[in-house]
Amino acid sequence: MTTIDKVYEEAVAAGLLPGASLIAGSINGETTFCQSFGRASLKEGVNRPFTDSTVCAVASMTKLMTSVAVLQCVEDGLLDLGKDARSLLPQIGTHGIITGFDDEGNTAILKPDSTPITLRMLLSHTSGHEYDWLSPLLGKWRASRNEGPWTGPTVEHKSALPLLFTPGTSFAYGAGHDWAGKAVEVATGTTLEDFMRARIWEPLGIAEDASFYPKTKEGMKARMADLSTLNDKGEPPAVDAPDFDILFGGTDCLGGAGVFITPKAYSIFVSAVSRRDAKLLKPASFDELFRPQLDETQEQALNDYVDQSPIHSRLLAMRIPQSIRKSWSFAGLIAKEGQEGRFGPGTVFWGGVPSTQWFIDRSTGIYGAAFCQTLPPMHPKILELHEKFQRDMYKLAITNSEQS
């Protein structure tokens, strides 16, 4: 048993995780590590193992796929990263900018704004949107309308929100990828599900293992993992979470959060992205995918935003130390410097609500992804496990490099 096997086996035995799957490889395409642990469900009478064929909700790890889909549409001449997307998405930005809230009158203070909102802004979280569950101001706005945060069936229900700042002037983590996925649908006249199947999943041979609607597909439904949760203090043992709807009533293809996929299939996708597979994008588009998108002001706003509160750091920092400068690409969060024993400079990360995470470390030549289905979101003790996984893969890559 390797060190990392032991770490996850102990986490399963302690009840921190019902199950998990880890996959890593070299950027030349070789899989260097693949291991799964524990169970896919804590439901009574269900004893399915968690494997690399278990169907998982990956939540915000959907964003990387949507960024690729948008860039494919740009290559096709159907979308333009620099054009105002309001004509494609008529409900975007219609509430203007929220500047405050009148508690006595229970009304938001809104300022009209018609600044162009581009796909570049939507994919880099500089459009002015913020998730309402992260923003107290938007939370008040929702409550004043008798609405819950991020609820409803469509992108419009969930994400037609007041903006927090003038588009292009700052950074906030929001539903830009949901809107960008909707732009793909408008531009192509098809669903994001059908577009991704034709342009991403089928070319990579993973179409039977990925969907926005796994419960409608017999081949996937029986393999779905069930979400579990730790207690209110975030302590084990985890228990089944039958009432938690990870889509909060969503029925649209949610480009920021809606894909269900197996660890093996998602890792095939991350591997293809890491080695810049021509099945997905042209070289110039991969350059755009990985390029830091933030100017100096936006980058400072990102770093301030991640450090704004413990919950922001937990959800967004990926356990990257505060001392390491961060930027943002269409792919995800960029660590501009390396961290000794863990990753090299320019490594890109992102994760998802059920404490899932991926990384691409091109300077070291490795990628990896860790899957589980456990709440609360991005639980610190689980992310600590994933960091140990990353460190082990880094150490293995360095050792192999020194021996070759």
Side-chain angles (χ1 to χ4, degrees), residues 273-306:
V273 170
S274 73
R275 68 176 184 275
R276 301 182 174 224
D277 193 325
K279 292 189 188 80
L280 296 181
L281 293 170
K282 297 174 182 176
S285 296
F286 275 116
D287 290 344
E288 194 67 58
L289 179 70
F290 288 112
R291 183 175 69 82
Q293 294 288 331
L294 307 185
D295 64 24
E296 187 175 337
T297 299
Q298 295 163 345
E299 184 179 293
Q300 185 60 52
L302 161 65
N303 284 269
D304 291 343
Y305 187 79
V306 169

Side-chain angles (χ1 to χ4, degrees), residues 341-342 366 390-400:
R342 184 182 173 194
I366 57 173
Q390 186 180 16
R391 286 181 177 276
D392 262 31
M393 297 305 101
Y394 180 88
K395 181 179 178 181
L396 177 63
I398 297 298
T399 300
N400 290 343

Side-chain angles (χ1 to χ4, degrees), residues 259-275:
V259 163
F260 294 77
I261 190 168
T262 67
K264 183 178 181 180
Y266 195 88
S267 297
I268 288 170
F269 167 68
V270 173
S271 174
V273 170
S274 73
R275 68 176 184 275

Side-chain angles (χ1 to χ4, degrees), residues 119-138:
L119 282 166
R120 187 179 299 282
M121 294 174 187
L122 292 171
L123 296 181
S124 57
H125 300 287
T126 60
S127 67
H129 288 86
E130 184 174 25
Y131 280 122
D132 45 16
W133 46 265
L134 264 174
S135 166
L137 204 53
L138 291 177

Side-chain angles (χ1 to χ4, degrees), residues 47-120:
N47 198 28
R48 288 183 287 113
F50 202 117
T51 74
D52 62 5
S53 295
T54 297
V55 176
C56 299
V58 293
S60 286
M61 282 170 46
T62 303
K63 289 178 170 68
L64 179 58
M65 283 189 171
T66 299
S67 290
V68 170
V70 169
L71 289 171
Q72 289 172 333
C73 288
V74 171
E75 289 182 354
D76 295 345
L78 299 174
L79 290 175
D80 187 319
L81 292 172
K83 275 193 175 178
D84 191 353
R86 291 177 189 255
S87 60
L88 290 173
L89 307 166
Q91 291 195 44
I92 197 170
T94 54
H95 295 289
I97 299 171
I98 187 168
T99 60
F101 196 86
D102 179 357
D103 290 317
E104 191 172 317
N106 195 33
T107 56
I109 302 167
L110 300 167
K111 178 180 73 173
D113 185 85
S114 58
T115 305
I117 297 174
T118 66
L119 282 166
R120 187 179 299 282

